Amino acid sequence: MTSGGWASCNCYKIRLLLAHLARPYERVSVDIFNGETLSDAYARVNPMRTTPVLERGDGRRLADSAAILVYLARGTSYLPEDAFAMADVIRWLIYEQTEVIPMIGGLRFRLLTGRLTADDPEAVRRLTSGAEILTLLDGHLAKHEFFVSERYTIADIALYGYLHVAADAGFIVQPYLHLLDWLQRVARQPGYVNDLVPYGENAAPGAGRSIYD
């Protein structure tokens, strides 16, 4: 069982991997902007109050999208068994969490929900840093079909989660030709889905209750 919201890119990454794996699962919708992660009941599920959360049949739970991707991909083609290649996958997962999400994903969220305007100094800072990130990624993809070992892995899935909607954050992606080609390669993978939906009206500041307010 997985819990999370349809508008969350972190949750989308898990759904994308599960679709590639053709693995059945139960999905529990959690509206983070309706105060659902702020309840005592959800705190017992995940004290960090984030989504997604994976719950196994034996009741054990795992939070954080990167950790869930690694767990689900073990023993499949989406996570190399070679120790060096596996470490390289994890390196990109860390980069996605520490650089891509804050700058590209964070800016997208704040612009689309009205928490920042495009000319806000914080938005400009994130846009500048995000452009540097896209340049680095495009440079890597100039030499590689995918991010690790010339094969499609959870490194690609994690990065795709936020990069495929980078334009929503005001990033002009057309100059990054290698990145654009990679986005198309991901979309051609067997089982690919894109069921990400826009943020609801309650995502706007003051319109709901969430960890972001």
Side-chain angles (χ1 to χ4, degrees):
M1 179 181 74
T2 65
S3 63
W6 288 105
S8 165
C9 292
N10 277 328
C11 297
Y12 165 62
K13 292 180 291 189
I14 306 306
R15 298 196 301 272
L16 178 56
L17 175 58
L18 287 168
H20 288 316
L21 294 171
R23 185 174 298 179
Y25 65 100
E26 177 187 357
R27 184 181 175 277
V28 177
S29 181
V30 175
D31 188 344
I32 63 175
F33 299 108
N34 197 32
E36 293 182 16
T37 63
L38 302 179
S39 68
D40 292 339
Y42 194 81
R44 290 190 289 271
V45 173
N46 179 13
M48 294 181 289
R49 301 183 184 278
T50 58
T51 59
V53 175
L54 175 73
E55 182 173 333
R56 290 167 37 107
D58 60 8
R60 285 189 289 173
R61 298 184 178 109
L62 185 63
D64 188 273
S65 61
I68 295 171
L69 287 174
V70 170
Y71 171 75
L72 292 174
R74 284 293 302 273
T76 76
S77 63
Y78 299 99
L79 182 63
E81 294 184 2
D82 173 75
F84 187 89
M86 183 184 297
D88 203 17
V89 167
I90 294 172
R91 174 177 74 94
W92 284 112
L93 293 181
I94 293 171
Y95 186 79
E96 184 255 354
Q97 292 284 313
T98 59
E99 302 295 332
V100 175
I101 291 181
M103 296 304 153
I104 297 176
L107 179 57
R108 173 181 179 268
F109 166 69
R110 286 164 176 80
L111 290 177
L112 292 182
T113 61
R115 286 169 167 78
L116 287 177
T117 59
D119 58 353
D120 188 290
E122 177 60 18
V124 174
R125 183 187 73 84
R126 291 179 188 243
L127 188 65
T128 301
S129 296
E132 294 173 354
I133 291 169
L134 293 177
T135 299
L136 183 149
L137 298 176
D138 191 68
H140 180 80
L141 291 168
K143 303 175 182 178
H144 304 281
E145 289 283 301
F146 296 103
F147 277 92
V148 177
S149 299
E150 306 305 330
R151 56 189 269 199
Y152 183 61
T153 69
I154 56 173
D156 300 283
I157 292 173
L159 290 161
Y160 182 85
Y162 284 95
L163 293 177
H164 84 287
V165 289
D168 292 345
F171 293 98
I172 301 174
V173 296
Q174 286 85 349
Y176 305 105
L177 298 180
H178 306 293
L179 180 64
L180 289 173
D181 288 343
W182 169 79
L183 290 173
Q184 294 177 5
R185 285 194 291 274
V186 172
R188 292 195 297 266
Q189 297 302 306
Y192 171 85
V193 296
N194 188 350
D195 55 7
L196 192 68
V197 303
Y199 291 112
E201 293 183 358
N202 65 348
R209 295 174 55 249
S210 74
I211 59 176
Y212 302 104
D213 298 308

